[in-house]
Amino acid sequence: MKRLVLAAVLTLLTLPARAEGPAAIPRYLDETATSGVRAVYAGDWEFMVGGGVAAFDCSGDRKPDLFFAGGTGPSTLYRNESAPGGALLFTPVVSGAEIDRVIGAYPLDIDSDGNLDLVVLRSGEDVLLRGTGDCRFSRANEAWGFDGRDLWSSAFAATWEPGSDWPSLAIGTYIDRRQDAFPWGSCTENALYRPQGAGFAAPLALKPSFCALSMLFTDWNGSGRASLRVSNDREYYKGGTEQLWHVDPGQPPRPYSAAEGWKPLKIWGMGIASSDVNGDGYPDYFLTSMADNKLQVLAAGPETASFKDVAFALHVTAHRPYAGGDTQPSTAWHAEFQDVNDDTRPDLFVAKGNVGEMPDFALRDPNNLLLAEADGTFAEAGDRAGVASLKTARGAAVVDLNDDGRMDIVVVNRNDGAELWRNAGQSIDGQPLGHWLQLALHQPGTNRDAIGAWIEVKTGDRVQRREITSGGGHASGQLGWWHFGLGAADAAEVRVIWPDGTAGDWARLAGDRFWDLSRNAPPAAR
């Protein structure tokens, strides 16, 4: 059914370049010092990867609170006290989620009780934390039959397989931390946790495993079935490659083969970001690496799992520092597509930082803010926007922190404090940015946040499509409002294609507002 719906809109999605000026550069204000956030991700070689942040509402006020990985120190949860449109302000809270050796975390309503839970990745046993309301959490491994193992976990993704009341969780792992003298080739097993009753069955090994640093369940071809992309770090694997897995109900997972179009790709894979960049109706994938970032689009249509790299053509390689004076190659970690200037085109934020003190790579490596231009290319604006930090970044989130509809940025730095930037809501020359929508999905029963759905937003001849996923990035996840820029339009036509492929009706929604989209119910303004 989803394929038919997709075909119906393809003619709207391949659009000619519009005659417009350069993309507006949003002004960001560094509010780290006054935000109240004092989180630090610390640790030696066992924490050289990771350093994630989870952005989600645990207090019930619909604003994203922040959970930070602490590495050797305890993880910390900060309640969002920011006033609408005001300065960023957070307060640390005692939550039951204070755990050491945390690499990253992802929010997910695992038991569909209306409270978001946390999947906590660790150098050690992974932990599922059950949300009990008011930013309180309790360990749920035993109650839910979850075997957290004792590995170095570094990647996560989740999906609801058809007919399942509970999600399937994929957890990727890195090297065997017990082999510090010679870890090369010691990649440990990734695992798929499928539901069993009110919990999970024993983990199913995803073999072969090649030191995963990012995972994403994604419907890459509009078939209505999610596959699992895995990005792997070639620094440590032997004979490995990037991976795409079939995950079909009732069947063991299996990698896509060369006969299905899948081509070997060896990069220092660190993060996955997805968006329909080229407007063909299918998700494209930005893969972070060390001086070798990729932007992959379908090469031969939806019948073949073949992708081509267009990063160079679209000026989005981001392979060297653009500020700070260092000329060595860059090291990229968390990547995320968000429309930060609200012109209807997804922009790309990339967190950058040397692994440690690798001499062949830049030590002064600013984060990227790559703005999408009307002709389909990207232009660097991180320094002019004010987010070109030279700290050693890892995880991040691009999310509206102060309830004004503008996308703010939080970055976790290794062995240093996290940073927060507020989007001031205007461009660097003082002009206003575009209009926007913030949308939240709800459906009754299980999978309450509609993971696996698609949102379509139409303004004039422009249709934006967004796949609702849980996973990707680098050790950092978020769940809550989904953001769309509207450009000059003050309203948009919106519909949801729900996870089972059922398409909702188009509804005209006023811009610059927050809307709840509930299945089988009219949209409701917050």
Side-chain angles (χ1 to χ4, degrees):
M1 180 179 293
K2 187 177 289 186
R3 184 185 297 276
L4 295 176
V5 172
L6 184 63
V9 298
L10 282 181
T11 55
L12 293 174
L13 294 170
T14 305
L15 302 175
R18 291 173 287 174
E20 298 179 4
I25 300 173
R27 183 186 303 278
Y28 277 90
L29 305 177
D30 185 351
E31 298 191 348
T32 302
T34 57
S35 69
V37 171
R38 301 292 181 264
V40 175
Y41 178 72
D44 293 327
W45 76 277
E46 284 187 49
F47 301 94
M48 62 185 175
V49 304
V53 57
F56 66 109
D57 173 29
C58 63
S59 65
D61 64 1
R62 310 298 298 275
K63 293 183 297 189
D65 307 296
L66 297 175
F67 173 90
F68 290 91
T72 53
S75 52
T76 52
L77 180 67
Y78 286 82
R79 188 191 300 267
N80 192 340
E81 306 284 359
S82 309
L88 305 182
L89 182 62
F90 290 82
T91 302
V93 295
V94 176
S95 64
E98 296 78 20
I99 306 172
D100 66 356
R101 304 187 66 81
V102 173
I103 297 290
Y106 290 80
L108 188 72
D109 190 354
I110 294 172
D111 57 356
S112 296
D113 69 349
N115 293 314
L116 289 178
D117 313 303
L118 279 173
V119 178
V120 180
L121 308 179
R122 301 177 68 238
S123 179
E125 181 196 28
D126 297 329
V127 178
L128 301 185
L129 292 176
R130 181 174 180 266
T132 57
D134 196 27
C135 292
R136 298 290 302 175
F137 295 87
S138 62
R139 177 184 169 98
N141 286 29
E142 290 74 23
W144 291 347
F146 177 77
D147 178 4
R149 304 186 292 175
D150 182 13
L151 299 172
W152 182 346
S153 294
S154 46
F156 172 79
T159 189
W160 266 260
E161 296 186 59
S164 293
D165 290 337
W166 281 59
S168 294
L169 313 179
I171 293 181
T173 66
Y174 203 47
I175 57 177
D176 186 341
R177 66 187 193 278
R178 298 174 180 84
Q179 297 190 33
D180 57 325
F182 188 78
W184 288 271
S186 70
C187 301
T188 51
E189 288 182 352
N190 304 331
L192 178 68
Y193 295 81
R194 279 180 156 152
Q196 180 174 282
F200 298 95
L204 181 63
L206 294 171
K207 297 181 179 179
S209 297
F210 299 127
C211 289
L213 288 179
S214 192
M215 290 176 154
L216 185 68
F217 278 107
T218 176
D219 183 3
W220 62 271
N221 63 350
S223 66
R225 300 186 303 275
S227 301
L228 179 65
R229 282 204 71 134
V230 184
S231 197
N232 300 303
D233 181 5
R234 75 178 184 187
E235 180 74 13
Y236 289 102
Y237 63 59
K238 291 182 177 179
T241 180
E242 297 290 284
Q243 294 173 302
L244 184 67
W245 291 79
H246 291 276
V247 182
D248 297 324
Q251 302 295 321
R254 60 181 176 86
Y256 276 75
S257 66
E260 295 171 293
W262 187 250
K263 299 177 181 178
L265 174 64
K266 298 175 184 293
I267 59 174
W268 288 284
M270 295 174 174
I272 304 172
S274 68
S275 180
D276 181 11
V277 174
N278 62 5
D280 66 355
Y282 304 100
D284 309 310
Y285 304 98
F286 188 79
L287 310 176
T288 59
S289 183
M290 301 169 71
D292 199 16
N293 304 307
K294 307 293 185 184
L295 178 56
Q296 290 193 330
V297 301
L298 277 176
E303 302 301 328
T304 304
S306 178
F307 294 84
K308 62 182 179 181
D309 178 32
V310 297
F312 182 81
L314 298 189
H315 307 166
V316 73
T317 56
H319 61 286
R320 288 186 186 274
Y322 59 93
D326 204 324
T327 60
Q328 294 284 74
S330 283
T331 303
W333 298 90
H334 182 88
E336 188 171 337
F337 285 104
Q338 293 284 1
D339 188 354
V340 297
N341 55 11
D342 293 321
D343 62 1
T344 76
R345 298 184 294 268
D347 309 302
L348 178 63
F349 178 80
V350 184
K352 293 280 192 68
N354 197 291
V355 174
E357 294 186 0
M358 297 183 72
D360 294 334
F361 293 87
L363 297 177
R364 295 170 61 81
D365 202 357
N367 303 322
N368 298 103
L369 185 63
L370 293 149
L371 301 181
E373 302 283 359
D375 64 358
T377 63
F378 288 77
E380 182 60 65
D383 50 350
R384 291 171 289 169
V387 298
S389 172
L390 296 177
K391 293 187 177 183
T392 306
R394 288 296 189 266
V398 185
V399 61
D400 177 13
L401 294 173
N402 65 343
D403 225 15
D404 66 352
R406 306 297 184 183
M407 302 307 283
D408 311 302
I409 299 173
V410 54
V411 172
V412 180
N413 298 300
R414 186 182 177 203
N415 294 321
D416 209 334
E419 296 173 285
L420 290 86
W421 291 274
R422 177 169 66 88
N423 187 326
Q426 58 182 211
S427 64
I428 61 172
D429 63 3
Q431 297 301 310
L433 305 182
H435 296 285
W436 51 267
L437 282 175
Q438 296 263 55
L439 307 174
L441 302 189
H442 312 280
Q443 61 177 3
T446 61
N447 189 12
R448 295 170 61 99
D449 298 297
I451 304 300
W454 290 76
I455 301 175
E456 296 180 341
V457 174
K458 185 191 303 183
T459 50
D461 63 353
R462 167 75 168 153
V463 177
Q464 301 177 63
R465 303 188 77 248
R466 181 162 189 163
E467 183 180 20
I468 305 306
T469 60
S470 175
H474 182 71
S476 302
Q478 58 199 71
L479 188 57
W481 297 102
W482 302 101
H483 178 87
F484 292 84
L486 303 184
D490 60 5
E493 299 291 323
V494 177
R495 74 168 173 181
V496 179
I497 302 173
W498 297 96
D500 64 1
T502 301
D505 296 330
W506 289 99
R508 185 169 180 81
L509 304 182
D512 301 332
R513 299 184 71 174
F514 293 74
W515 290 90
D516 286 299
L517 305 181
S518 299
R519 190 162 185 168
N520 301 321
R526 192 190 67 175

